[in-house]
Amino acid sequence: MPRGEPVRQLHDGFVPGRFAIDAYGRGGFRFADMSHRGAILALPSGVHRWPVEAGAGLTAADFALVLAEKTAIDTLLVGTGEAPRMLTEDIRWLLRDAGIGFDVMATGAAARTYNIMLGENRRVAAALLPVD
């Protein structure tokens, strides 16, 4: 994110609508003419604050909002920070059982891939951990 830009939190942790990720880095993301520090879920319903810590391990419970929208998602892109980190087996099976394909990659690659797939009007979602 550009230096000097004010960082505003998502209103009640949610912005409705599908938005491209305009920028990432410095611990947050820019989209929809606003900035947010921390992790986000870009889902068909909108962009949600994702209350997970970048250094902590992800759990199945962290994907509850994704599962709630499973009928509108074919592919979930998971950005795990600076480098790709495998999801645990229980999370992989949770997503498979829900019929959601997924790909795990560094956050930058996930954000760029999300933007391309969103531009192609595909049924994509992203779970993105911030990077510095």
Side-chain angles (χ1 to χ4, degrees):
M1 292 184 302
R3 292 190 184 277
E5 178 178 316
V7 176
R8 297 174 286 159
Q9 292 294 322
L10 300 179
H11 178 69
D12 293 331
F14 175 68
V15 174
R18 292 177 56 96
F19 299 99
I21 307 301
D22 298 322
Y24 59 89
R26 300 182 49 101
F29 301 88
R30 193 174 72 216
F31 54 91
D33 294 328
M34 64 181 297
S35 296
H36 172 73
R37 274 205 199 275
I40 60 171
L41 289 172
L43 301 174
S45 63
V47 180
H48 299 257
R49 180 181 63 83
W50 194 23
V52 298
E53 294 297 322
L58 297 173
T59 68
D62 294 327
F63 292 87
L65 285 175
V66 174
L67 296 177
E69 296 190 36
K70 68 182 179 183
T71 60
I73 300 169
D74 291 333
T75 305
L76 174 67
L77 302 170
V78 183
T80 58
E82 296 288 342
R85 288 184 284 163
M86 294 236 353
L87 298 176
T88 62
E89 187 173 351
D90 63 324
I91 294 172
R92 293 191 313 263
W93 278 110
L94 181 76
L95 295 171
R96 285 182 190 126
D97 289 345
I100 299 172
F102 59 92
D103 199 354
V104 179
M105 56 191 78
T107 294
R112 291 185 301 272
T113 304
Y114 173 78
N115 286 346
I116 290 167
M117 293 177 77
L118 185 67
E120 294 171 347
N121 203 30
R122 295 178 58 188
R123 295 165 36 102
V124 65
L128 303 171
L129 294 175
V131 295
D132 289 329

